[in-house]
């Protein structure tokens, strides 16, 4: 389902934004984040009240780490992905995204100076 949704969003985004200057992408993803936050807040509160999920306050250092991670791991990658769709096509963009992990494995394998990754979680 997520791959189907991802592909559908790619095609619809290209159809709605045929040229680069037609939409402010950071504003679009910011609005999308606000809408998702407003829709998910009642769900989180309901899960908390039903004792299915426990909400706790977080420290400022954890909030800072989450903010940096959200910016580089989500916002920046989504904006670049959407810009790539507008500049090329949904097919090329999604193929490039899909090939990034296998190609990184291949690059690590072919690099003689690369350390072998551990095969289990280290705590």
């Amino acid at each position: 389902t997520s791959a189907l949704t991802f592909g559908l969003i790619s095609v619809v985004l290209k159809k709605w934004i045929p040229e680069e200057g037609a939409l402010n992408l950071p504003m679009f993803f910011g609005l999308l984040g606000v809408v998702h936050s407003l829709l998910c807040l009642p769900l989180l509160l309901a899960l908390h009240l039903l004792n299915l999920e426990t909400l706790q306050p977080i420290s400022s250092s954890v909030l800072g780490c989450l903010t940096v991670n959200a910016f580089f791991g989500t916002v920046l990658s989504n904006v670049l992905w959407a810009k790539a769709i507008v500049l090329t096509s949904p097919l090329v963009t999604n193929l490039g995204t899909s090939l990034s992990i296998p190609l990184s494995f291949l690059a690590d394998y072919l690099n003689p100076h690369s350390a072998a990754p551990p095969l289990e979680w280290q705590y």
Side-chain angles (χ1 to χ4, degrees):
T1 5
S2 67
L4 179 68
T5 306
F6 198 71
L8 182 65
I9 289 171
S10 301
V11 172
V12 168
L13 188 65
K14 179 67 175 183
K15 183 168 176 58
W16 285 353
I17 311 168
E19 56 192 41
E20 186 178 356
L23 177 68
N24 184 355
L25 290 175
M27 184 69 75
F28 171 72
F29 282 111
L31 178 64
L32 196 61
V34 168
V35 169
H36 280 102
S37 297
L38 292 176
L39 291 176
C40 288
L41 186 61
L43 177 64
L44 282 175
L45 290 176
L47 291 174
H48 177 71
L49 293 174
L50 293 172
N51 290 328
L52 297 172
E53 183 68 40
T54 304
L55 298 179
Q56 300 174 355
I58 57 174
S59 66
S60 59
S61 63
V62 170
L63 182 62
C65 289
L66 288 173
T67 303
V68 169
N69 183 31
F71 177 73
F72 288 109
T74 305
V75 174
L76 186 63
S77 66
N78 282 341
V79 168
L80 293 175
W81 168 77
K83 194 150 196 80
I85 286 176
V86 172
L87 292 175
T88 60
S89 72
L91 178 65
V92 170
T93 304
N94 289 326
L95 277 175
T97 303
S98 300
L99 289 174
S100 64
I101 293 175
L103 289 177
S104 68
F105 279 127
L106 181 64
D108 283 344
Y109 177 75
L110 295 176
N111 183 4
H113 302 293
S114 176
L119 297 177
E120 59 185 49
W121 291 100
Q122 294 180 355
Y123 296 100

